[in-house]
Amino acid sequence: MNDVARLPSVQTAREWWRGAAIYQIYPRSFADTNGDGIGDLPGITAHLDHVASLGVDAIWLSPFFTSPMLDFGYDVADYCDVDPIFGTLDDFDALVARAHTLGLKVLIDQVYSHSSDRHPWFLESRADRTNPKADWYVWADAKPDGTPPNNWQSVFGGPAWTWSAPRRQYYMHNFLPEQPQLHMHLPAVQDAMLDVAKFWLDRGVDGFRIDAINFSMHDPALTDNPPAPAGPRTRSFDFQQHIHNQSQPQIPAFLERLRVLLDKYGATFTVAEVGGPSPEAEMHAFTQGDRRLNSAYGFNFLYADKLTPALVRDALAQWPDAPGTGWPSWAFENHDAPRAISRWAAPQHRDTFARMKLMLLISLRGNIFLYNGEELGLTQVDIPFDALRDPEAIANWPLTLSRDGARTPMPWRQDANDHAGFSSGTPWLPIGADHLALAVDRQDGDPESLLNLTRHLLAFRRSSDALMCGDARVIEASETVLAIERSAPDETVLCVFNMSPEPVEWRPVQPDRWRTEETVGHVTDWRFGGYAAVIARRV
């Protein structure tokens, strides 16, 4: 590795978030300070020095709001408070203050498609059909035979409708029955959610990651969804094309209202999660121009079972550097997907693959997300059925791979006696058997570790105009080799990856015009060992 410590930071005038590296923290699994086996906000605050040492620009906190935790915080019972298992609002304020002192922006989740069924809004709404919040959720009469209003299916299995005796109606839920669908078409509901956003902006947050935004509105006519073409089907949800229960054309108008609020607070950032088999049109609509969201990400990589040059080429092609086109964000791992290193590499190649994967991530045009533990090379943990906590995995066992395996506790110390430094109590999920050897304290002192490579490559990315905000051109995407040229007005870099375990040779058209800056794996004169990569600068 070359020493980048003396390289200047990028000076190009740009928004702080453009090209940013954002570190996702899953609060339940980051660090526990009170011994209950569940991570908390003080635990995050205590370890922000580690996060800052990586060289990231911001943190994204997964939900910590008041919740019965049936979907681990994405079933919100109070949008404007901290669940006691995570701490208090004072703890949150202390976290934000410490993050800002360290130069880290703070993003938090916003869940605009549904709440918990224990939220006071829903308790009032379900009481009868005449109360002030009667239409704040999606209610519908049964068919004459008593069956649900239409054929919509839930992501977690079964009909997207549950009968409520007090109303003598069904209510809609795209996820768990305990996550009733908010009626986001209503201006009053939108106003309430904007008030939630304002509450957190006033507390100092720098922006939002917006959960499942394409699920936030439904077709008011309740039109049946058409059947899906033949393909993999592990859930009833997979049998339909989800045209009417989500992805409605009114969503961008709400995002424009949100953007007006955010712009009052200055340099904020918003990124949308957009799921589905073909989310690009929606991601572009949600980020179009300068009146909606700043960025969006889909599941191009998160659910891919193999990392290939073609996958990267096709993903980048969806985000051309063209006027009016939004700015992309990319994640290889998060709390909803199996660890990439376990999906994409055989066990004997994981060490070299993890280094190539990291160099690829820092080479992509857009914002990049690192999921806690990704900087350590954490693998997916095999959670037995009797230890599962993930409602989707439990409902669809054994056909849906558990998300719990990517949510296991962060290993801070290589010490099994104190649960890897995560908690003095029994962790809510087991520590991965191979994770102790990957612990922060072990890697921190090893200059060749993946942790220190992460710090190094993020520093290199920040020193490069081309990597931070330049355009991207894929010049090779063969079966094994990916080559991307990144260009800014004063700099052009070439990023070449051997995405196979076997050696390959690949040369640019004029090899002598490129000076090698960074390598991972074995690279000699454009001959690449298995999972090797190089970044070169044009001279």
Side-chain angles (χ1 to χ4, degrees):
M1 297 185 299
N2 297 327
D3 183 6
V4 300
R6 294 184 300 276
L7 293 176
S9 298
V10 172
Q11 298 300 318
T12 302
R14 59 177 179 85
E15 305 94 330
W16 70 261
W17 52 263
R18 193 174 295 274
I22 300 167
Y23 186 84
Q24 181 193 357
I25 295 175
Y26 194 68
R28 292 184 70 89
S29 299
F30 200 63
D32 169 30
T33 60
N34 64 5
D36 65 356
I38 297 172
D40 47 45
L41 298 185
I44 296 171
T45 304
H47 288 84
L48 284 178
D49 284 351
H50 165 76
V51 179
S53 79
L54 299 175
V56 298
D57 301 281
I59 59 172
W60 152 31
L61 302 177
S62 292
F64 51 84
F65 316 112
T66 306
S67 168
M69 298 294 164
L70 297 177
D71 194 21
F72 298 107
Y74 287 96
D75 49 326
V76 183
D78 187 340
Y79 287 97
C80 296
D81 205 354
V82 174
D83 194 277
I85 67 169
F86 295 127
T88 65
L89 281 170
D90 286 343
D91 292 328
F92 178 79
D93 293 341
L95 188 161
V96 172
R98 179 60 180 158
H100 287 167
T101 297
L102 292 169
L104 297 169
K105 305 289 188 180
V106 178
L107 312 177
I108 66 171
D109 260 299
Q110 294 285 271
V111 186
Y112 293 148
S113 60
H114 54 265
S115 75
S116 166
D117 64 348
R118 301 185 197 178
H119 196 292
W121 297 346
F122 185 72
L123 296 177
E124 183 175 352
S125 184
R126 78 184 307 174
D128 56 53
R129 302 190 190 190
T130 61
N131 68 80
K133 292 185 173 58
D135 56 354
W136 276 40
Y137 291 82
V138 181
W139 295 95
D141 292 330
K143 289 181 178 179
D145 62 358
T147 56
N150 61 22
N151 71 347
W152 297 350
Q153 296 292 302
S154 160
V155 172
F156 290 166
W161 297 95
T162 290
W163 178 256
S164 175
R167 295 253 321 206
R168 294 176 175 80
Q169 284 184 307
Y170 282 95
Y171 68 86
M172 178 190 166
H173 51 88
N174 276 307
F175 299 94
L176 293 174
E178 293 84 3
Q179 293 171 297
Q181 183 77 15
L182 284 159
H183 197 337
M184 283 292 289
H185 288 284
L186 294 183
V189 178
Q190 293 185 19
D191 291 345
M193 301 315 294
L194 293 175
D195 285 343
V196 169
K198 185 177 185 302
F199 175 87
W200 293 108
L201 290 164
D202 287 342
R203 298 197 90 89
V205 305
D206 302 289
F208 304 120
R209 178 262 192 187
I210 303 177
D211 181 68
I213 188 60
N214 53 333
F215 282 90
S216 62
M217 293 187 187
H218 68 293
D219 171 16
L222 304 184
T223 309
D224 278 353
N225 279 329
R233 292 171 175 173
T234 61
R235 309 163 296 177
S236 59
F237 184 79
D238 301 327
F239 283 78
Q240 296 181 355
Q241 298 180 59
H242 299 283
I243 296 173
H244 301 296
N245 64 305
Q246 62 180 75
S247 307
Q248 297 303 293
Q250 297 86 357
I251 295 174
F254 167 69
L255 299 180
E256 291 178 4
R257 295 192 66 198
L258 177 63
R259 179 62 180 270
V260 169
L261 171 65
L262 284 154
D263 284 348
K264 295 177 181 178
Y265 288 82
T268 56
F269 172 65
T270 47
V271 57
E273 175 202 42
V274 186
S278 300
E280 287 78 17
E282 287 180 278
M283 288 195 289
H284 291 160
F286 297 162
T287 60
Q288 185 179 47
D290 59 1
R291 297 174 56 214
R292 297 175 184 175
L293 305 182
N294 301 118
S295 188
Y297 76 91
F299 289 75
N300 311 67
F301 299 112
L302 291 168
Y303 288 166
D305 59 6
K306 188 176 181 181
L307 181 65
T308 66
L311 177 65
V312 180
R313 176 199 64 205
D314 294 346
L316 292 178
Q318 297 290 338
W319 293 92
D321 186 9
T325 301
W327 182 255
S329 290
W330 307 105
F332 289 166
E333 299 186 6
N334 76 6
H335 65 292
D336 278 335
R339 292 281 186 181
I341 197 169
S342 296
R343 282 183 283 133
W344 290 342
Q348 67 271 26
H349 298 306
R350 283 176 180 167
D351 289 346
T352 51
F353 178 85
R355 301 169 85 83
M356 184 275 293
K357 175 179 76 75
L358 176 62
M359 186 175 276
L360 173 61
L361 184 63
I362 68 110
S363 301
L364 298 179
R365 175 182 177 270
N367 295 335
I368 58 174
F369 285 90
L370 280 169
Y371 178 46
N372 57 219
E374 189 171 359
E375 75 275 23
L376 306 176
L378 295 191
T379 55
Q380 181 78 2
V381 179
D382 184 15
I383 307 293
F385 180 78
D386 59 0
L388 286 178
R389 306 292 295 275
D390 174 16
E392 182 179 14
I394 293 169
N396 295 292
W397 177 267
L399 297 178
T400 298
L401 186 61
S402 163
R403 297 178 296 179
D404 289 336
R407 298 176 175 181
T408 56
M410 185 82 168
W412 295 103
R413 295 194 294 272
Q414 190 184 6
D415 186 348
N417 293 325
D418 74 345
H419 305 295
F422 167 72
S423 174
S424 61
T426 302
W428 75 288
L429 284 173
I431 307 287
D434 62 340
H435 287 186
L436 290 177
L438 301 171
V440 172
D441 68 342
R442 177 166 181 173
Q443 294 200 39
D444 193 48
D446 177 3
E448 299 302 317
S449 68
L450 183 66
L451 171 58
N452 280 311
L453 179 66
T454 301
R455 292 165 173 156
H456 178 85
L457 289 180
L458 285 174
F460 180 77
R461 175 180 166 95
R462 293 189 73 172
S463 74
S464 168
D465 272 320
L467 293 179
M468 289 294 286
C469 51
D471 62 15
R473 183 168 68 96
V474 176
I475 59 177
E476 179 75 28
S478 67
E479 288 295 313
T480 57
V481 174
L482 173 70
I484 305 171
E485 191 175 277
R486 301 291 313 277
S487 298
D490 298 321
E491 180 191 29
T492 299
V493 297
L494 179 64
C495 312
V496 186
F497 308 89
N498 176 12
M499 300 175 73
S500 78
E502 303 301 323
V504 299
E505 182 173 348
W506 183 91
R507 292 175 179 273
V509 174
Q510 296 177 298
D512 58 345
R513 295 192 62 189
W514 299 98
R515 181 182 68 242
T516 297
E517 298 287 346
E518 297 293 334
T519 62
V520 295
H522 186 68
V523 182
T524 304
D525 192 26
W526 302 102
R527 296 181 179 91
F528 296 77
Y531 296 125
V534 64
I535 297 177
R537 182 175 276 112
R538 178 174 285 166
V539 295

